[in-house]
Structure formats: structure tokens, C-alpha cells
Amino acid sequence: PVAQPSTSPSAPPTSAPPTSAPPTSAPPSATPSDTPEPSSSSAAPLDHSEFGDWNFSLKGEKYAARKVGGWTYDSCDPVDAEGVMADNHCESAVQLAYSAYGGNLKAVQIILAFPSSSDARNAAKRLKNTADKNVAWRRSSAHRSYSYGKIYTGAYVKHLIITIVTANSSAKPKAEKFHTALQTDRGVYFFMGRQSERPVTS
């Protein structure tokens, strides 16, 4: 079982910062979750094509998001705004963009690979409450203004997952559960050794 990320109760600002990186101010806010990890993980390099549209169904909860962008990086430099990833020996990264509920909810997900689970955990600890400043994520793939805006981070085996979700007022009631499901399901994927056949997703 994967621990669900927790979030801070602070209200998001009315507009997101400019799309340039590194970011200079914080829109979404979050508290990372530390999760115990199994000892093994697939060593295949990350590639954004590994992740397609997201469809999640578990115990009556169903969520779906269309993948609208994907980027594969040979190093972590493009997403490492302040050197936190480099300090923890980050090896490679992908960035994914999703759209749901007719574009009323947008998600950006960054997945980073580390040589060891302790490196991933240490990076997650360093990002606690600072992910928006320390990660150069694609703000152009999020809403400029939103009713819901938060960042979840978590270490899963040798990977660090950062999920940013913004939603307008019509999608706000669904946003937090959607956000938790997307973050947790992606973590389960790495816990399961990156197996493509998973009962909860397609």
C-alpha cells in the first residue's frame, strides 16, 4: 500500500507565475509523503513514451486523463532549477502533461530516476514544501489561473514523482481525489517493478 500524499490547506493564488524557468514564486503548495520502498526496481531508462493516456479504476472510483505532451531528458538538468536533483545523483527524467474533464483540469508530472532508493528519498525530503521553487516544470501545461492548485511529491523505489494539478472552478470538486489517484497510481507502477499489466490502470 502506498501512502497518500498530504497537502497544505493554504489557498492557492489567483494566477500562476510566468512560464519561464526556474520558477520564482510558488503557486501550488504541498507536503511530500515519504513511503517505505521495496528493494528492487527495473533498470530500464525512463522514456515519456512509457506513459500514455491515464485511466484509473479502483473500487468504483474512475478517473481518466489524456496525455497531451511528453518530454524525455538524458539528464535531470532541464528540470533541476536549484541543483537539488544533482546533489542527490539524479540520472534522468521525463515530464508528462495531461488534460482531463474537457481541459478543466490539467496535470504535469515529472518522474526522476536515481541510482538508489536512498537518493530518491533524500531528494524528496529536500523538496518538502519547496518543489515549486526547486523544480522547473512546464507551467505552460497548467492553468494560468485556477481554483485548485497543488503539488504532490513522493519517493517510490529509485524514482521521485512530482505531480502538479491545477483545475478551474468546475473541476475543483474532483481535483483533489484525481490528484491523489494520479500520484499514488504512478507510485504503485514503480513499486510493481514497472509492470505494464496492472489491474487498476490501463
Side-chain angles (χ1 to χ4, degrees):
V2 179
Q4 293 186 350
S6 58
T7 61
S8 81
S10 62
T14 55
S15 63
T19 56
S20 60
T24 55
S25 61
S29 58
T31 303
S33 67
D34 284 324
T35 311
E37 299 155 32
S39 58
S40 63
S41 172
S42 170
L46 287 172
D47 190 285
H48 83 81
S49 62
E50 184 175 346
F51 308 96
D53 292 346
W54 180 66
N55 294 287
F56 179 88
S57 178
L58 181 65
K59 295 180 181 176
E61 298 280 344
K62 290 186 177 183
Y63 301 98
R66 186 169 52 91
K67 183 181 177 184
V68 294
W71 302 268
T72 302
Y73 308 114
D74 292 333
S75 74
C76 298
D77 294 348
V79 296
D80 194 2
E82 301 290 339
V84 171
M85 314 318 168
D87 289 348
N88 291 284
H89 317 108
C90 186
E91 296 175 329
S92 64
V94 297
Q95 188 160 188
L96 312 167
Y98 291 97
S99 177
Y101 306 122
N104 293 310
L105 183 149
K106 295 182 179 182
V108 178
Q109 193 164 63
I110 299 164
I111 303 168
L112 307 114
F114 292 83
S116 72
S117 57
S118 62
D119 289 324
R121 281 198 308 270
N122 289 337
K125 288 175 185 173
R126 285 277 305 277
L127 292 178
K128 185 176 182 179
N129 299 322
T130 66
D132 190 66
K133 178 172 72 79
N134 286 311
V135 180
W137 56 279
R138 289 184 177 261
R139 295 170 187 277
S140 58
S141 297
H143 292 97
R144 287 186 178 274
S145 60
Y146 43 82
S147 296
Y148 173 96
K150 292 182 182 178
I151 299 177
Y152 290 174
T153 63
Y156 305 89
V157 196
K158 298 178 181 180
H159 295 85
L160 174 62
I161 300 173
I162 301 158
T163 306
I164 301 106
V165 168
T166 58
N168 63 22
S169 57
S170 68
K172 183 181 180 181
K174 307 169 186 174
E176 190 152 4
K177 283 189 173 183
F178 179 101
H179 199 171
T180 299
L182 179 56
Q183 173 79 10
T184 303
D185 183 50
R186 199 65 89 205
V188 168
Y189 175 67
F190 288 100
F191 270 114
M192 299 298 289
R194 294 164 76 180
Q195 295 174 19
S196 58
E197 295 182 9
R198 292 174 294 154
V200 295
T201 60
S202 61

